[in-house]
Amino acid sequence: MSTSKIEIRNLTVDYIEKKKNFTALKNVSFPINDGEFVSIIGASGCGKSTLLSVLEGINKPAEGEVLIDGEKVNGTGSNRSVVFQHYSLFPWMTTRKNVAFGIQQVRKELSRTQRLQVADEFLDKVGLSEFRNKYPSQLSGGMQQRAAIARALAMDTEILLMDEPFSALDAKNRIALQELLLKLWEGENSENKKTVVFVTHDIDEAIFLSDKIVVLTSHPGTVYDIVAVPFERPRNREELIARKDYAAFRSRLLSMFYHDIVDRIGGNEVVL
Amino acid sequence: MTIKARFLRMTHIFFTILMLIQLLPDKSQKEVCTSSLIVFAIVAEAVVIILSFLIKRKESLSLTLDIFGFIYVFLTVWTLVTAKFDLLNDLLFPAPGKVISQFAEDKTVILTNIKSSVGIIIQGFLLAVVAAIPLGLLIGLNARLGNAASYLTKFFSSIPPIVYIPYGIALLPTFRSVSIFVIFLASFWPIFAGTMSGVLNVDKKIVDSAKVLNVKKPAMLTSVILPASLPQIFLGCNQGLSVSFILLTSAEMIGARDGMGYYVKYYSDFGDYTRTITGLLVIGIVVIAVTFLFNRFQQYLLRWRK
């Protein structure tokens, strides 16, 4: 019996495109500990989102398995909540209804009033109180993601899965939301800290947020390396970036990122 | 808005022109009922002035005023070519005042006819909505079944619904039940097709998003698939509704004893073209009123869209 929260074992995932079979992930194994913030990085098309979709339970592996608390994942479950890059929210529900609807699916014991109360509480935490009666189409991209995060946190699941949640945002919003996410996640007391799996292609984002970074290579996706982030929490972005070891760490990750590309192109003199 | 922008408008000049030309001598030999036209125009102008106070948005005020402006110009031209200069055959082209007074005279009959027509439309249409939406949802959920069904739907909806009328008459006892049946058939296929294509084309991301929230099957259908397909469902409903009016008025001209189509057909058979034109205008007003209300309802349910 493993002690990790999530155990990914020998995972191979195929997908079919234009009637051809591709291998998206091949033999991927790694553990994720309870309360850990893990980022999965890799170039686009390396299968990082596919990996997350298996954790979500909406995609089934060809081989291997994912265990959560020692139990095999088979479909979606009420112990996980998800934030996607787009379309996490239902466009026909107000922000508040969206959050309350998420709560309703996992915490059936709550009454309607209680659900709305919890929804309001979390919308307040992400700074959307004023916008609770607006529809998603009336919100900016950043606000929509705030609302999606509020819903995921309000559902109070043990595991939070995030699939490039900030990739579509402008730089300013992205930074603001990274800090908000970290603040909310670090703000929880240590016993019931959520386990977060965060997919991104942004190295700085991964370093700033994570305890551990899993680097994937492409075609098919395999684990290239797993790196522990050596910076203590709570983190301050400016101080972190100014540190010498940060630059060293970052370039180490960057070389892993490009190592893969250089290998594939096969030349030494690659101009990127 | 300034007082000037609110009340100094072309529309009022058109109204004044309409009033002034009433002073010209009538050339038509027939009854022209100028007083009815004047009463009508004054009521319309009163409505315009009240609306000028009430409407807040500049664009909607301009639109309202423009529409009334058009009506005044139209009435002016109509009065000139009929009552004042008698340029047209006065049997076929009654003066506007005559039509208005005819409407006032026949208003109980017209109201009964409107009630009958609209009642049939509502019943047939609602039956179609109640049958087509749940069926479309359930069949659309299964991609294979939905695909097959959409071909069948194409076949059935390609039959012009008017040809169901003779068969309906053979099948059912009263004109009313035949009309409801035919309107049901005519609305059913577009609503059914709209619902199915709505369900089949729900964005996969939305379905995934619901799946990861652990939404169970019944809630998935009512809280996710149904609202996500609503824009397409309304597309089908609008199509069904407009076909229903065409169909019903045609059917009423064939075999009814009441309804607006019957009113028009009955009086044109007697050569009473004043009543024919009155009937045509009433049908136009009714259709606009019903579609306006339906659009309002649609806008409300789809208020979440941009």
Side-chain angles (χ1 to χ4, degrees), chain B residues 233-250:
Chain B
I233 293 177
F234 268 108
L235 230 54
C237 287
N238 281 314
Q239 208 185 327
L241 199 60
S242 59
V243 175
S244 297
F245 277 108
I246 298 171
L247 205 59
L248 180 67
T249 38
S250 322

Side-chain angles (χ1 to χ4, degrees), chain A residues 52-72:
Chain A
L52 204 69
S53 70
V54 176
L55 297 187
E56 287 156 11
I58 55 177
N59 209 340
K60 286 205 165 35
E63 279 168 51
E65 58 189 4
V66 174
L67 303 178
I68 292 180
D69 293 324
E71 264 179 61
K72 192 177 166 182

